Amino acid sequence: MNLHLALAKEYEDLADYPTAFEHLVAGKAAAMVDRDEASRRDEALFDAIIRASPEAQPALRGFASKEPIFVIGMPRSGTTLVERIISSHPDVHAAGELQNFALALKRTSGSRTPYLIDIDTVTRTQDVDWRQLGEDYLTSTRPDTGRTPHFIDKLPHNFLYVGAIANALPHAKIICLRRDPMDTCLSNFRQLFALGSPYHAYSFDLLNTGRYYILFDRLMAHWKQAFPGRILEVDYETLVDKQEASSRQLLKFCDLPWNDACLTFENNQAPASTASAAQVREPIYRSAVKRWKQYEAQLADLRELLHNAGIECGP
């Protein structure tokens, strides 16, 4: 696996994209992930989340803290970039990719299954004590958080929990990154995530990555309808092209006054441990936009899959 993925990177650097893609496919296949089982499991989970989706509750039923800012979205869609922009503000602390909300919800649900999120856990979350859930989450983040008026929880897969987050923390801000679907899928397929991750089994197969994107897109449409006004969607491409305007929009949504430091996020000295750790030390760049065009022939089946699901990928 590692050998093929290293060769894929070398051939990509040499602009031999067909050969790079061959090694990428071979490397991901060598991981021996049960791709059919992973796809079935993901589809069943997303269906269960939508079926068990809680209704929007009055703010008084949640925990009245304005501290959390959740940055969510598909991995490799720009979530780390947004985290760095906002956390460059002196009133915001970057807490990293926290599992705390998922753990708090698991405990509150009463589920005793060994998985952090599964159908049993999801079906038990409709009648939880929202205020207690919000308080348990905030308490569990201490002492790392609480040093500034706000903190960012940047676990991309918190998009699975938007309904619970919205009810438990009615004043929390939720920002969802959207990136060109083809670039998002390719970037996920190119990335080697932690092999034991409970979230990334889809990424070892190109079309499964596309199917997962379709599930994500459908779930976000559901959350926006169920919790209108709670989610700010930000296009990665717009952020790259209009950095200052997009940064001002982000800070305004978070009820933060403007600070020039947010335009020079590359000077942010806070640690970063995601796959984008190197990129966020540099100013905004456009080289990742439309990267999928380098592999257009190899991605024809992916594009057809997305198109048939009603997801347009642009020219």
Side-chain angles (χ1 to χ4, degrees):
M1 179 187 68
N2 289 326
L3 176 59
H4 277 296
L5 295 182
L7 286 167
K9 175 64 167 62
E10 291 300 315
Y11 278 109
E12 182 176 88
D13 289 348
L14 294 169
D16 185 349
Y17 301 113
T19 306
F21 197 79
E22 289 177 9
H23 284 289
L24 179 57
V25 171
K28 286 302 188 79
M32 300 298 290
V33 172
D34 189 334
R35 292 172 288 182
D36 291 339
E37 173 59 25
S39 182
R40 288 193 296 268
R41 186 172 61 247
D42 288 336
E43 185 173 358
L45 176 62
F46 277 71
D47 286 344
I49 290 172
I50 291 176
R51 287 198 306 271
S53 173
E55 294 183 357
Q57 300 295 315
L60 290 174
R61 295 195 61 185
F63 188 65
S65 171
K66 296 182 179 180
E67 290 180 62
I69 300 170
F70 291 87
V71 178
I72 64 175
M74 280 288 291
R76 312 297 295 147
S77 63
T79 55
T80 301
L81 174 59
V82 166
E83 176 199 45
R84 303 299 282 193
I85 290 172
I86 301 175
S87 66
S88 295
H89 196 286
D91 291 343
V92 183
H93 167 66
E97 296 188 356
L98 303 180
Q99 297 279 355
N100 298 55
F101 193 88
L103 287 166
L105 185 62
K106 180 75 175 182
R107 295 190 187 102
T108 304
S109 74
S111 173
R112 295 293 181 264
T113 57
Y115 303 103
L116 190 58
I117 184 168
D118 55 18
I119 293 175
D120 179 75
T121 305
V122 168
T123 56
R124 292 172 179 266
T125 59
Q126 292 175 297
D127 301 314
V128 301
D129 184 329
W130 299 115
R131 182 182 291 107
Q132 188 64 53
L133 172 60
E135 185 174 6
D136 288 349
Y137 165 75
L138 261 294
T139 300
S140 74
T141 69
R142 307 306 193 211
D144 181 52
T145 60
R147 304 173 187 176
T148 58
H150 302 279
F151 69 89
I152 298 176
D153 182 338
K154 194 207 76 73
L155 183 68
H157 275 87
N158 271 333
F159 66 74
L160 298 169
Y161 303 100
V162 166
I165 291 171
N167 282 338
L169 297 159
H171 303 296
K173 303 299 182 181
I174 306 172
I175 300 167
C176 180
L177 267 293
R178 302 301 296 254
R179 185 183 177 190
D180 179 282
M182 293 290 285
D183 275 335
T184 300
C185 291
L186 175 62
S187 190
N188 274 257
F189 187 51
R190 288 173 73 245
Q191 183 65 40
L192 179 60
F193 297 101
L195 292 178
S197 168
Y199 298 119
H200 301 101
Y202 65 85
S203 67
F204 292 90
D205 180 86
L206 178 65
L207 293 186
N208 274 0
T209 302
R211 294 182 185 102
Y212 195 89
Y213 183 91
I214 293 167
L215 293 174
F216 159 77
D217 186 71
R218 173 187 169 208
L219 182 59
M220 288 310 304
H222 169 77
W223 291 137
K224 286 191 294 181
Q225 183 177 18
F227 297 89
R230 287 302 307 273
I231 306 165
L232 173 67
E233 287 198 324
V234 176
D235 291 328
Y236 170 77
E237 291 79 11
T238 302
L239 179 57
V240 169
D241 287 338
K242 301 177 180 179
Q243 179 185 356
E244 181 171 347
S246 296
S247 299
R248 288 184 180 276
Q249 179 192 30
L250 287 167
L251 266 60
K252 182 179 180 180
F253 179 75
C254 295
D255 296 326
L256 291 165
W258 176 251
N259 191 288
D260 287 340
C262 296
L263 288 180
T264 53
F265 62 87
E266 65 273 16
N267 296 328
N268 188 332
Q269 295 303 305
S273 58
T274 72
S276 303
Q279 291 96 319
V280 296
R281 304 299 184 190
E282 305 171 1
I284 280 183
Y285 56 89
R286 300 197 79 261
S287 58
V289 175
K290 295 293 183 183
R291 176 180 279 152
W292 71 270
K293 286 287 191 177
Q294 298 169 345
Y295 296 95
E296 187 166 7
Q298 292 75 25
L299 300 179
D301 289 345
L302 171 66
R303 191 173 188 184
E304 181 180 6
L305 175 72
L306 296 173
H307 175 78
N308 290 340
I311 297 173
E312 295 304 323
C313 305

